[in-house]
Amino acid sequence: MPLDYHSLLTAFTLSGCGLAAAFLASWLVSQKERFLMAWTIGVSLMALGVLVYGAYGKTMSPALGATGYTILLIGLAFVFGAGREFRTAILPWRGMVVMAVSSSVAMAVPMLAGYNGIAILMLNAAATIILLVTAWDYWLGRAEARLMIALLTALYVLTGLSFVPCAVLLLQDGQWVLPQIPANWAEDLNIGICLTTLAGIGALSLALNQARLARGHKRDAETDPLTGLLNRRALLARLAGEIKGPAALVVLDVDRFKMINDAHGHLAGDDVLRAFGEILTLSARPQDLAARLGGEEFALLMPGTSLVSAAILAEGIRTRLAKRDFTGSAGAFDCTVSAGVAHTEDSVIDFDALLHDADKALYAAKRNGRDQVAISSDEAEFLAQIRPLPDGQRGSADIVKLRTG
C-alpha cells in the first residue's frame, strides 16, 4: 500500500510539536541546560515549517513555499546550535545566523523567481549539510556518553543522507519549474526516515540530558561548593569503592584561621580557603584525592606513595601557601598551614586509623610552632618534623626524629 505523503507530513508536524513540548518541560525542570531551549525552538520551527510546506503543496504559492522552507531551515540551524551548545555550553549564534541566512537565500531566490525545482534542490542540499555538520558536532563530544552519542550521531547522519535521493532525482529530471511538489519514492523515504529518526533523536537527547543531570547531582553531592574539592563523604566513598593501599594521607589545617576571619572578615577567609583549594588541586597527582574535611581542615590521600614522598609534597604545598598574599578589611596579610602525614602499607585502607595517625602528626606540628609538616610513624613511635634550613628554605633532607612520648 503506497504511503500517503500528506499524512506523513501531518504526522511529522504532530510528532515535532509533542517533542518540542517534552523538551520545554525538561528545560523548565532544569533551566541550567540551556541547549534544551534551543532544541525546543528548533523542533517547533521545523514542525511549523513542514505545516506551511503542506499548505504550499496545495496552493503552489512561491511566497508560501519560500516562507515554509525558510522556517524549516531556521529550525535546522537551531537544532545545530543545540548540538553545539550541548557539547560546549555556548550557543553559536553567529554560526547559526550564517547557516540560516545563507541556506534560506539560496533557496528563496529561485523559489520567488518561479524556479521551485531549484529551490527544493537547494533545500535538500542545505538540510543534508546542516544535519551532517550537527552529527559531527555530537561525535566530537562522544567521550561524555560513547554509546548514546554514537547512536545519536548515526541518526543525524541517516536523517541527513535521506535528503540526498530527493536531490538526485530532481537533478536527473532536470525540471526546474514544478507544477506540484515532488511525489516519488525518495520523498516518501525521506519523510518516513525523518519521522522515525525524530523520535529516536528526541529520546536520546532527553536521555543524555537526564544522564548529565544525574552526574551533576552526584558531583554536587560530592563536592565542596567553596573550594571545588571532594567533601568528606565523597572521600570516604572513594576509599570504600576504588582506592587500595599502600597509601599516604596528608591532613592540613590553616593556621589561626579564626583570627583571619575575625580580623579581615569572612570573605577574606573564604578567599584563603579557595586559594588553598587551588593549591591542593594543582599539587595533587591524577590518582590523588584532595578533599575539604570541614572548616579549615583539608586532606590529601595519595595511593602508592611513600611516607617521605608525601611529606615532600606536603612541604611544597605549605611553601606555596606561605608565598601567597591576601587582602582583607584590615589590609594585606599572609597565611600559613600546618600538616601531618601518615602512611599505611595495608591494601585495605583503614581510614579512621590513618586519619588518627595523621591528626597526631598535625597536632605535633601545631604544638611546635605551626607552619610546618610533621610525619607520624606509629611502628617506631616517632614523629619526623621538617624544620627550616639555615637559609630559610625547607627540604626533604631536613628531617629530625622526635619521640612521641
Side-chain angles (χ1 to χ4, degrees), residues 4-13 44-73 76 107 111 115-124 127 163 166-167 170 178-184 186-192 194:
D4 183 349
Y5 186 67
H6 288 285
S7 296
L8 288 175
L9 288 178
T10 302
F12 182 89
T13 301
S44 299
L45 290 174
M46 288 169 60
L48 178 60
V50 170
L51 182 64
V52 176
Y53 174 71
Y56 165 71
K58 297 176 182 179
T59 64
M60 298 303 292
S61 164
L64 197 59
T67 300
Y69 287 161
T70 298
I71 294 172
L72 180 61
L73 289 168
L76 285 171
M107 172 278 305
M111 173 65 77
Y115 296 97
N116 56 352
I118 297 177
I120 295 174
L121 177 64
M122 298 304 297
L123 171 74
N124 288 320
F163 286 88
C166 302
L170 284 169
L178 303 174
Q180 60 184 13
I181 61 174
N184 51 53
E187 296 291 336
D188 291 343
L189 178 65
N190 171 244
I191 191 63
C194 289

Side-chain angles (χ1 to χ4, degrees), residues 299-380:
L300 182 63
L301 183 69
M302 307 174 66
T305 302
S306 69
L307 193 65
V308 174
S309 295
I312 295 172
L313 188 140
E315 173 63 9
I317 293 171
R318 184 206 65 77
T319 303
R320 290 187 185 96
L321 181 63
K323 292 179 179 179
R324 292 288 292 265
D325 295 321
F326 299 94
T327 303
S329 57
F333 68 97
D334 54 17
C335 184
T336 62
V337 67
S338 300
V341 188
H343 183 268
T344 179
E345 292 289 344
D346 298 334
S347 59
V348 177
I349 300 174
D350 184 343
F351 183 74
D352 289 337
L354 191 61
L355 181 61
H356 175 73
D357 291 343
D359 275 337
K360 287 200 318 185
L362 173 63
Y363 296 146
K366 293 282 189 180
R367 287 195 306 268
N368 284 281
R370 298 183 176 86
D371 189 23
Q372 54 193 269
V373 177
I375 304 175
S376 172
S377 178
D378 281 348
E379 293 181 4

Side-chain angles (χ1 to χ4, degrees), residues 14 48 68 75 78 94 101 104 112 140 237 253 268 270 277 283 286 325 340:
L14 294 175
L48 178 60
F78 266 95
R94 183 178 299 176
V101 171
S104 296
L112 295 175
L140 292 177
D253 190 88
D270 289 347
S283 301
D325 295 321

Side-chain angles (χ1 to χ4, degrees), residues 12-30 36-45 47 198 202 206 209-210:
F12 182 89
T13 301
L14 294 175
S15 297
C17 291
L19 188 58
F23 274 100
L24 179 60
S26 296
W27 179 78
L28 290 173
V29 171
S30 176
L36 292 171
M37 180 50 69
W39 236 101
T40 300
I41 296 172
V43 176
S44 299
L45 290 174
L198 178 67
L206 289 173
N209 179 58
Q210 291 302 314

Side-chain angles (χ1 to χ4, degrees), residues 5-227:
Y5 186 67
H6 288 285
S7 296
L8 288 175
L9 288 178
T10 302
F12 182 89
T13 301
L14 294 175
S15 297
C17 291
L19 188 58
F23 274 100
L24 179 60
S26 296
W27 179 78
L28 290 173
V29 171
S30 176
Q31 297 185 17
K32 183 171 65 173
E33 297 296 341
R34 294 178 301 176
F35 83 94
L36 292 171
M37 180 50 69
W39 236 101
T40 300
I41 296 172
V43 176
S44 299
L45 290 174
M46 288 169 60
L48 178 60
V50 170
L51 182 64
V52 176
Y53 174 71
Y56 165 71
K58 297 176 182 179
T59 64
M60 298 303 292
S61 164
L64 197 59
T67 300
Y69 287 161
T70 298
I71 294 172
L72 180 61
L73 289 168
I74 294 173
L76 285 171
F78 266 95
V79 170
F80 156 75
R84 176 68 61 84
E85 189 172 23
F86 174 82
R87 182 171 65 87
T88 66
I90 299 173
L91 189 65
W93 282 108
R94 183 178 299 176
M96 291 165 57
V97 169
V98 170
M99 187 177 286
V101 171
S102 59
S103 59
S104 296
V105 169
M107 172 278 305
V109 169
M111 173 65 77
L112 295 175
Y115 296 97
N116 56 352
I118 297 177
I120 295 174
L121 177 64
M122 298 304 297
L123 171 74
N124 288 320
T128 300
I129 293 170
I130 293 173
L131 288 166
L132 292 181
V133 170
T134 304
W136 176 248
D137 235 319
Y138 274 104
W139 181 248
L140 292 177
R142 64 191 179 276
E144 179 173 339
R146 292 189 179 277
L147 178 58
M148 284 197 291
I149 290 183
L151 291 173
L152 190 61
T153 302
L155 290 178
Y156 273 110
V157 169
L158 178 61
T159 307
L161 293 179
S162 72
F163 286 88
V164 174
C166 302
V168 171
L169 287 184
L170 284 169
L171 283 171
Q172 288 179 344
D173 291 343
Q175 187 176 359
W176 308 129
V177 180
L178 303 174
Q180 60 184 13
I181 61 174
N184 51 53
W185 66 266
E187 296 291 336
D188 291 343
L189 178 65
N190 171 244
I191 191 63
I193 288 177
C194 289
L195 184 58
T196 304
T197 55
L198 178 67
I201 288 172
L204 284 171
S205 298
L206 289 173
L208 281 168
N209 179 58
Q210 291 302 314
R212 178 178 283 185
L213 286 176
R215 288 194 298 272
H217 292 323
K218 184 175 184 292
R219 183 172 58 250
D220 290 343
E222 293 181 339
T223 304
D224 172 60
L226 182 63
T227 63

